[in-house]
Amino acid sequence: MSKVDRIIVLGAALCGIAMVVLSVWMLTRYPATADLTDGYRTPVLAFEFAQTPADLAFMTGDSDSAVRHRAAMAAGQQLDTAFPVAYAGLIVFLLLGQARRGRKLAWAGALIGLLIVPADWHENAVMAAVLNTLSAGEPVAPLLPTLWTATWLKWGAIAVALATLGLGALRERQRVNGGLALIAAILIAATAALGAPGWLAEGMMVGVSLSLLGLVVGVGVQSRGKRLDSALKD
């Protein structure tokens, strides 16, 4: 294995570990439950896909519950600054590995994967503006179209990157990870097409999470296999 290939595997492994650690940490910061609308169970998802002020009722007003939810959401958003670097980095490194193995489409996928990070940061900035507006007791409706656009710029980039990664993985006979990545991309597309109903957005999040976890496991197996191959050659 060349030095570049080693760097790619190491980068993917480090990003994968960081993604898992940050995911667990973020679960302890974001609000875990709330009185949500339209089949949503996860407050941060309901926030991302909010289309009307009623969708944000759980964070609206001066009640103790609303104040706690806004504070918890802000705390989670602080960690979300690093999180896109981790999960997008994992996707990009894996696509670079495919590109190095002759999958030309993977170069385009890697470029789209890089765009996930600024798209996620932009979404975070809009979400912060919404939280500040809610805290000030001002009308939040004017910000919601901007939030919707920012959210789908991020999820759209994720869908394209995962679809590209999934196709490459299937061609390399990595059926589990390839299938999971493609299913996640399809779920994102379906959620967008149907206007993000809660039940589908929650299912989409499960699909994306399983895909990313599968990629982490795959990197671990690949890294172990490369080390074993190097030891046998020595």
Side-chain angles (χ1 to χ4, degrees), residues 14-93:
L14 291 176
C15 286
I17 292 169
M19 183 193 74
V20 172
V21 171
L22 286 168
S23 295
V24 174
W25 194 1
M26 288 165 69
L27 286 174
T28 68
R29 304 291 291 276
Y30 276 122
T33 60
D35 185 13
L36 306 175
T37 59
D38 193 27
Y40 281 96
R41 299 172 61 89
T42 309
V44 67
L45 274 184
F47 186 7
E48 286 190 29
F49 295 116
Q51 300 181 60
T52 68
D55 296 329
L56 298 176
F58 70 100
M59 295 192 297
T60 303
D62 296 325
S63 67
D64 290 342
S65 176
V67 171
R68 285 197 308 270
H69 284 136
R70 289 198 299 269
M73 198 69 73
Q77 287 297 104
Q78 289 178 350
L79 290 178
D80 199 32
T81 301
F83 187 60
V85 177
Y87 77 81
L90 171 65
I91 295 170
V92 169
F93 274 118

Side-chain angles (χ1 to χ4, degrees), residues 21-221:
V21 171
L22 286 168
S23 295
V24 174
W25 194 1
M26 288 165 69
L27 286 174
T28 68
R29 304 291 291 276
Y30 276 122
T33 60
D35 185 13
L36 306 175
T37 59
D38 193 27
Y40 281 96
R41 299 172 61 89
T42 309
V44 67
L45 274 184
F47 186 7
E48 286 190 29
F49 295 116
Q51 300 181 60
T52 68
D55 296 329
L56 298 176
F58 70 100
M59 295 192 297
T60 303
D62 296 325
S63 67
D64 290 342
S65 176
V67 171
R68 285 197 308 270
H69 284 136
R70 289 198 299 269
M73 198 69 73
Q77 287 297 104
Q78 289 178 350
L79 290 178
D80 199 32
T81 301
F83 187 60
V85 177
Y87 77 81
L90 171 65
I91 295 170
V92 169
F93 274 118
L94 292 176
L95 282 165
L96 289 175
Q98 289 184 358
R100 291 271 298 173
R101 294 189 293 274
R103 306 294 176 191
K104 294 181 180 180
L105 186 61
W107 290 112
L111 178 60
I112 298 298
L114 288 174
L115 296 177
I116 293 172
V117 178
D120 201 321
W121 286 345
H122 174 57
E123 180 197 42
N124 289 345
V126 177
M127 292 172 78
V130 171
L131 286 174
N132 290 336
T133 301
L134 289 171
S135 296
E138 298 174 357
V140 74
L143 289 174
L144 296 184
T146 303
L147 175 59
W148 182 258
T149 301
T151 293
W152 282 112
L153 284 173
K154 179 193 77 173
W155 283 108
I158 292 172
V160 173
L162 284 178
T164 307
L165 183 61
L167 288 173
L170 288 177
R171 289 171 182 167
E172 294 180 345
R173 299 182 183 275
Q174 299 171 16
R175 294 182 178 87
V176 174
N177 277 345
L180 286 174
L182 283 177
I183 289 171
I186 291 169
L187 285 171
I188 294 172
T191 303
L194 295 179
W199 63 272
L200 186 53
E202 295 285 349
M204 176 200 77
M205 192 67 247
V206 171
V208 172
S209 298
L210 288 176
S211 176
L212 291 175
L213 286 175
L215 294 178
V216 173
V217 172
V219 169
V221 171

